[in-house]
């Protein structure tokens, strides 16, 4: 099949979302093309995009394992092309959160920590505004959120990869199985290597047990990626944590971040 208006409609849906949930992408392709050969359609789209230095990439969410089709540029600047529609204050907040996620040893930051940045950074942003902005970032898949913690979102993983590589060379980890850059995963207590939760689950399914792919030490799984969390319940978590903050002393906000 030649590139036609059906392909354009799929591409428009991906561009509109920035990151399109694979389930919805499949539905769309099935409706437009009458088959579910998504890989074939995506290849045709990517062939068309290649001269424009754009690409649609399939990426799993590190937290849920959910697959997304992400629209990205194949030429990435050393300086991240952060979203021009955001204010300086929002960008400062976002960069600081990225920095903390990358340099932390568990790949996430608590929402409390993020909101406290409003009082510790020179960020002209109220906590309510920051909360709204972060909710939007999760909605648009720049960040992922689970149980009141923020993780790297699929769009950041794809679109800002070069920026992360240039900025945090020594801090970036790779998955023991897929060898891709990893921000959050299951860490082995024995050999300290880290593996994507979804890579580990595939691996365990084939091996019949959960063990470190590197040293074969048994792994006790503490994260249940199977839970279907959505961002709306995470906002409640933020509210709860915010109340804790206002009630308790500001000691926790003094936690210094490396930048
Ligand atoms: Zn992996
Ligand atoms: Zn190990």
């Amino acid at each position: 099949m030649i590139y036609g208006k059906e392909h354009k409609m799929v591409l428009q849906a991906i561009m509109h979302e920035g990151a399109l949930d694979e389930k919805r992408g499949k539905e769309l392709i099935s409706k437009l093309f009458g088959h579910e050969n998504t890989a074939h359609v995506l290849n045709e789209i990517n062939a068309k995009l290649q001269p424009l230095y754009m690409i649609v990439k399939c990426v799993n969410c590190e937290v849920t394992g959910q697959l997304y089709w992400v629209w990205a540029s194949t030429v990435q600047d050393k300086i991240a092309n952060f979203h021009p529609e955001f204010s300086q204050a929002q960008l400062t907040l976002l960069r600081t959160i990225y920095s903390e996620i990358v340099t932390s040893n568990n790949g996430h930051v608590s929402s409390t920590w993020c909101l406290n940045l409003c009082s510790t950074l020179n960020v002209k942003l109220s906590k309510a505004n920051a909360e709204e902005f972060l909710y939007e970032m999760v909605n648009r898949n720049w960040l992922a959120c689970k149980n009141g913690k923020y993780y790297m979102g699929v769009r950041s993983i794809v679109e800002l990869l070069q920026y992360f590589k240039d900025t945090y060379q020594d801090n970036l980890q790779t998955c023991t199985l897929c060898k891709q850059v990893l921000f959050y995963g299951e860490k082995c207590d024995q050999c300290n290597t880290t593996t994507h939760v979804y890579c580990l689950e595939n691996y365990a399914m084939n091996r019949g047990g959960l063990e470190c792919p590197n040293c074969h030490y048994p792994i006790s799984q503490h994260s249940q990626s199977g839970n279907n969390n959505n961002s709306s319940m995470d906002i409640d978590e933020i509210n709860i944590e915010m109340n804790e903050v206002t009630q308790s002393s500001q000691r926790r906000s003094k936690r210094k971040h490396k930048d």
Side-chain angles (χ1 to χ4, degrees):
M1 184 168 186
I2 35 160
Y3 190 91
K5 72 171 194 305
E6 291 85 3
H7 292 83
K8 268 187 205 158
M9 286 168 81
V10 174
L11 180 58
Q12 271 163 6
I14 298 170
M15 285 168 67
H16 179 254
E17 298 280 315
L20 183 69
D21 188 322
E22 193 208 24
K23 279 182 230 144
R24 290 183 46 213
K26 255 188 185 153
E27 279 170 19
L28 186 63
I29 284 179
S30 157
K31 208 164 74 185
L32 291 170
F33 292 83
H35 65 73
E36 287 205 345
N37 193 345
T38 54
H40 186 67
V41 174
L42 288 182
N43 281 341
E44 286 172 326
I45 290 175
N46 278 336
K48 191 80 176 177
L49 288 175
Q50 199 187 10
L52 308 171
Y53 303 105
M54 298 302 297
I55 192 169
V56 174
K57 277 192 177 167
C58 299
V59 187
N60 292 85
C61 171
E62 291 188 331
V63 185
T64 63
Q66 173 65 49
L67 203 61
Y68 287 89
W69 300 348
V70 183
W71 159 253
S73 168
T74 52
V75 267
Q76 295 190 354
D77 295 333
K78 279 185 181 287
I79 301 150
N81 229 338
F82 283 114
H83 340 303
E85 72 265 38
F86 300 146
S87 72
Q88 210 49 49
Q90 289 170 329
L91 291 179
T92 307
L93 180 68
L94 196 57
R95 278 202 198 92
T96 312
I97 292 171
Y98 282 144
S99 165
E100 182 67 11
I101 290 176
V102 174
T103 54
S104 73
N105 52 18
N106 48 20
H108 55 71
V109 282
S110 79
S111 48
T112 312
W113 186 87
C114 295
L115 294 174
N116 278 336
L117 289 175
C118 296
S119 42
T120 54
L121 285 178
N122 274 336
V123 175
K124 303 263 181 299
L125 210 58
S126 71
K127 279 193 177 177
N129 283 341
E131 199 176 346
E132 201 179 313
F133 172 68
L134 292 174
Y135 181 73
E136 184 68 13
M137 290 297 91
V138 172
N139 252 341
R140 294 164 66 175
N141 292 301
W142 290 103
L143 295 172
C145 186
K146 186 183 176 182
N147 299 339
K149 296 184 183 77
Y150 290 104
Y151 301 78
M152 206 60 91
V154 281
R155 287 180 77 183
S156 302
I157 292 172
V158 174
E159 296 185 47
L160 302 178
L161 189 61
Q162 194 56 49
Y163 165 77
F164 292 133
K165 281 181 175 168
D166 293 334
T167 316
Y168 303 104
Q169 289 139 338
D170 299 337
N171 281 300
L172 288 188
Q173 294 177 290
T174 49
C175 171
T176 52
L177 289 170
C178 71
K179 311 294 178 200
Q180 302 292 311
V181 169
L182 167 153
F183 299 95
Y184 165 75
E186 199 75 45
K187 195 173 200 142
C188 172
D189 297 331
Q190 195 71 19
C191 71
N192 265 332
T193 60
T194 317
T195 311
H196 284 126
V197 177
Y198 58 87
C199 287
L200 196 61
E201 280 175 352
N202 282 338
Y203 177 81
M205 238 188 290
N206 296 331
R207 311 260 313 184
L210 217 50
E211 55 171 40
C212 170
N214 186 51
C215 71
H216 303 292
Y217 188 76
I219 287 178
S220 54
Q221 204 180 21
H222 54 72
S223 53
Q224 315 84 25
S225 65
N227 280 359
N228 47 350
N229 273 314
N230 52 36
S231 44
S232 58
M233 77 159 259
D234 292 314
I235 285 300
D236 292 339
E237 298 269 350
I238 294 172
N239 288 330
I240 294 162
E241 293 207 6
M242 275 188 78
N243 289 336
E244 283 171 12
V245 175
T246 44
Q247 281 159 18
S248 69
S249 72
Q250 291 287 306
R251 218 178 335 138
R252 281 196 293 170
S253 71
K254 293 290 198 300
R255 184 183 155 201
K256 76 172 198 275
H257 66 94
K258 321 127 207 167
D259 194 25

